[in-house]
Amino acid sequence: MAETKSLRTRTVRGAVAAVMGPVVAVGVALAPAAATEDAESRAAAVFLSGEILDLDLDAVDELSGVVVENLGQAEPLTDASPLDLSILADLLVDVGGVELPLSDVAELGAVNQWATADTAGTSRAGAGAVADGEGVGSGVDAGYPGDLRVDLGAVVAEVLPDVIADIELELGAISSEAHLVSLSDGSGAAEFNGDYEIAGGQLSVEVPAITDLAAQIDEVIGTVGDVLDDLEAQIAGLLDNLDALDTLIDALEAVPGVRVSGPDIAVILDVDLEALTDEILGTPLGIGTGVELHLADGVLVVDLDVLLEGGLSGQAPNTELLGAEGIEQLTNSVTDLLDSVVDEVTEAIAAGVGTAELEITIFAEVSALLVTDVLDLSLAATLDAIISGDAEFADESTGLVVGIVGPLLAELANAVVDAVGGVLDELVFGDEGVLATIGEVLGTAVEILADVLVEVSVAIGDLVAITLNVQAGVPEVAPVIHLIRSVPLLGLQNTAEDGAYSVAALEIGLPAIDEGTVTLARSEVGPNIAGEDVDADVDADVDADVDADVDADVDADVDADVDADADADADVDVDADVDADVDADVDADVDADVDAEGDIVGMDHVVI
């Protein structure tokens, strides 16, 4: 039989060369039309695979996912199985010479894995946040959130630079799907479609230098508090010598028989500096920019979905997230953020000071004969309101005082606002005020932090490697393959053998300590073969299988010169009964025994 295989292979090659000329194709298997039961389809889905920290995930049965294979069965074969998360506690990884359960390093939300091997060379699969038989993201509402948190700091602790205390990766709703669908145009070709989705993600990097900046901010707020404490005494002193108040008191004393006791002036400035500090340190800087400084925690948070143009989903196959371009973008974003930190913090302190409540009371007893009335004026307003001129005195005076004070009250209020506003501008808000001074102090601290965060950005790229939309097997010669499959070759049809193709949501590596990688949410389809519906008895009625290009009536007796080297006088009697074996010289010693199954057994891939 080896000789028969060789002869047939050469015959097919010659026919293709004669029809196609210079076209070159690799990986196309040609054979007589395969019966439907000869179709093959395969699919697999596995959420967690690869090798990391001396742990071969592919060797763990509980992580093997689902695999289905349809070898001509009439009905689709489907399997679906959520990942058993309890296995993570049983798997040990070597972290700095200490074996830790994988669950101590990685926390994973529920994920699903499904695969279907359909008929006629079609297969589908999905992994991660997917519901049974559905696509990316469908599992979120079906109990498969597919979220992941990895304590990278624990894993790479031995190689962490001094500028980084810890690093953590969080990703949401990780999923993928793959489809290899046999086309219905009779060509036997198939179309591959893959997709993936990651619903947001971030890197949280603990940086001691950020804590240093937070301590500096706390210190300068304390300095502002000292200035505000002095402000109370200074405002009280200003009111004691305020001409407008003296004028009001003189007007009361000018009434015959009136004696004024006072005035007593009280100034209270209520500002909660502790709350102000908590608010400033507890509010992230840079929200919406892709990088945030969480001052209270000393953490740089990198929003990966914002940092990467187009987001984590929808990227081109095999996109590096933290490659050279990604780290450059991170560095630029950090630099831009720090350029605004001083202004943001200073403005936050100024806003907090502006909301401080200033209360001023002016009280005096005004006696006339046996009657004692009171001068009772009060002003309660924020420093912002006083500076803007919106503050007013409330008059609770009694008796004759009311008529005397009324016309003078507006003048008094204006004088107080001017006096208080002036001292606030001098001590707090002006060019020489405390806010300007703390701006200079913070500027120095931020410059130091800027250098550190640039170093942090570079270190992240050295510690973590992330590739998105990891695809393998996607054909690049599909147009040529399709063309060759469309050419009829003496009754021979093309089998469509496609795959295996796969798409995974992402791949994570730790290049600083390990050469391995972990692949998340991989869906794989193929290799598939699309069979053809034909009469299994090829020997019966071959005239139905003969290509029209032969232009010969095989039903009749054929007298023909088949061999160019044959004697012209030889009359080749071709029996009309084509069910019999044809014995002829066709450029070679061709054994024309046709296998009743219609297959070319063991035929090689065509190389032209």
Side-chain angles (χ1 to χ4, degrees):
M1 268 307 190
E3 180 63 21
T4 301
K5 171 188 172 183
S6 174
L7 289 174
R8 287 176 176 169
T9 301
R10 289 201 299 271
T11 303
V12 171
R13 286 177 176 170
V16 173
V19 176
M20 296 300 299
V23 176
V24 176
V26 177
V28 181
L30 303 180
T36 301
E37 58 267 24
D38 293 331
E40 298 179 8
S41 58
R42 299 167 179 83
V46 56
F47 185 82
L48 192 60
S49 60
E51 183 176 351
I52 198 77
L53 301 175
D54 295 329
L55 175 61
D56 185 359
L57 300 172
D58 297 333
V60 180
D61 289 342
E62 291 85 350
L63 299 179
S64 60
V66 294
V67 179
V68 291
E69 184 178 48
N70 188 325
L71 301 180
Q73 288 91 331
E75 297 296 328
L77 300 180
T78 297
D79 193 5
S81 175
L83 178 63
D84 181 4
L85 299 180
S86 64
I87 187 61
L88 301 183
D90 298 330
L91 301 177
L92 301 179
V93 291
D94 185 354
V95 178
V98 178
E99 287 192 335
L100 295 177
L102 185 58
S103 56
D104 286 1
V105 176
E107 294 179 10
L108 179 62
V111 294
N112 196 20
Q113 304 159 128
W114 67 265
T116 294
D118 211 329
T119 57
T122 290
S123 55
R124 312 172 192 276
V130 294
D132 288 354
E134 297 185 27
V136 295
S138 61
V140 174
D141 296 328
Y144 303 112
D147 53 331
L148 173 71
R149 186 193 70 82
V150 182
D151 184 2
L152 294 172
V155 178
V156 298
E158 287 189 329
V159 294
L160 277 180
D162 293 339
V163 293
I164 296 178
D166 197 5
I167 182 170
E168 180 178 287
L169 173 66
E170 294 181 68
L171 298 169
I174 305 167
S175 59
S176 73
E177 60 179 301
H179 306 264
L180 187 58
V181 180
S182 179
L183 300 182
S184 59
D185 58 2
S187 66
E191 181 178 58
F192 169 76
N193 285 298
D195 196 11
Y196 80 102
E197 185 175 272
I198 303 172
Q202 65 181 34
L203 272 175
S204 299
V205 188
E206 187 177 336
V207 181
I210 298 177
T211 305
D212 294 341
L213 176 61
Q216 189 69 66
I217 292 173
D218 185 43
E219 183 177 330
V220 298
I221 292 177
T223 301
V224 173
D226 294 340
V227 172
L228 295 180
D229 288 341
D230 293 341
L231 190 61
E232 285 186 0
Q234 293 203 34
I235 292 175
L238 285 173
L239 295 179
D240 274 336
N241 298 297
L242 196 64
D243 290 342
L245 182 57
D246 289 342
T247 299
L248 188 149
I249 297 300
D250 290 345
L252 290 173
E253 292 179 336
V255 177
V258 171
R259 182 171 59 87
V260 178
S261 298
D264 295 326
I265 300 173
V267 177
I268 299 175
L269 183 61
D270 184 17
V271 55
D272 189 346
L273 290 179
E274 183 176 349
L276 176 61
T277 301
D278 290 343
E279 180 180 356
I280 290 175
L281 297 183
T283 302
L285 300 176
I287 294 176
T289 66
V291 290
E292 299 176 4
L293 288 183
H294 292 231
L295 297 170
D297 302 322
V299 173
L300 170 69
V301 176
V302 182
D303 188 333
L304 300 173
D305 206 38
V306 175
L307 182 69
L308 183 63
E309 184 177 356
L312 291 174
S313 301
Q315 293 295 323
N318 307 311
T319 295
E320 289 189 21
L321 176 58
L322 297 174
E325 291 185 7
I327 296 303
E328 182 180 2
Q329 177 61 42
L330 174 58
T331 302
N332 293 338
S333 297
V334 167
T335 301
D336 292 343
L337 169 61
L338 293 179
D339 285 343
S340 63
V341 163
V342 173
D343 288 341
E344 285 192 47
V345 172
T346 303
E347 289 171 5
I349 295 175
V353 172
T355 60
E357 290 278 345
L358 178 64
E359 183 178 347
I360 299 174
T361 58
I362 301 174
F363 185 85
E365 290 185 348
V366 180
S367 302
L369 299 177
L370 299 177
V371 178
T372 299
D373 295 318
V374 295
L375 170 68
D376 188 359
L377 304 176
S378 62
L379 179 149
T382 65
L383 295 183
D384 281 341
I386 293 174
I387 292 173
S388 63
D390 294 331
E392 296 181 355
F393 271 99
D395 185 3
E396 300 292 335
S397 301
T398 62
L400 66 86
V401 176
V402 176
I404 297 173
V405 169
L408 301 174
L409 198 57
E411 181 181 349
L412 175 63
N414 290 335
V416 169
V417 167
D418 288 344
V420 174
V423 72
L424 285 175
D425 187 62
E426 177 184 353
L427 298 178
V428 180
F429 297 104
D431 292 339
E432 302 298 325
V434 65
L435 294 181
T437 302
I438 66 173
E440 295 175 1
V441 173
L442 291 177
T444 301
V446 168
E447 287 179 3
I448 295 173
L449 178 60
D451 293 337
V452 171
L453 291 186
V454 169
E455 188 177 348
V456 166
S457 299
V458 174
I460 290 174
D462 294 335
L463 295 171
V464 187
I466 299 177
T467 304
L468 303 176
N469 192 12
V470 181
Q471 293 197 19
V474 179
E476 297 179 353
V477 293
V480 175
I481 293 175
H482 183 79
L483 178 60
I484 291 182
R485 286 175 177 160
S486 67
V487 177
L489 300 173
L490 300 179
L492 300 178
Q493 299 291 328
N494 303 321
T495 58
E497 183 168 351
D498 280 293
Y501 309 138
S502 68
V503 55
L506 75 156
E507 189 176 77
I508 301 174
L510 304 172
I513 62 170
D514 195 273
E515 295 181 356
T517 58
V518 173
T519 301
L520 300 173
R522 188 179 83 242
S523 301
E524 183 173 312
V525 286
N528 294 351
I529 298 178
E532 301 289 340
D533 289 325
V534 296
D535 189 334
D537 187 2
V538 177
D539 284 338
D541 206 8
V542 178
D543 56 273
D545 294 325
V546 177
D547 190 288
D549 289 341
V550 177
D551 289 329
D553 186 0
V554 183
D555 293 330
D557 290 336
V558 179
D559 291 329
D561 281 338
V562 178
D563 192 346
D565 295 329
D567 191 325
D569 293 331
D571 181 21
V572 180
D573 184 7
V574 180
D575 197 330
D577 185 357
V578 186
D579 291 334
D581 293 335
V582 179
D583 184 17
D585 289 329
V586 187
D587 294 328
D589 291 334
V590 178
D591 183 0
D593 290 335
V594 179
D595 189 290
E597 294 297 317
D599 292 336
I600 296 183
V601 180
M603 194 181 85
D604 295 334
H605 285 186
V606 173
V607 179
I608 303 170

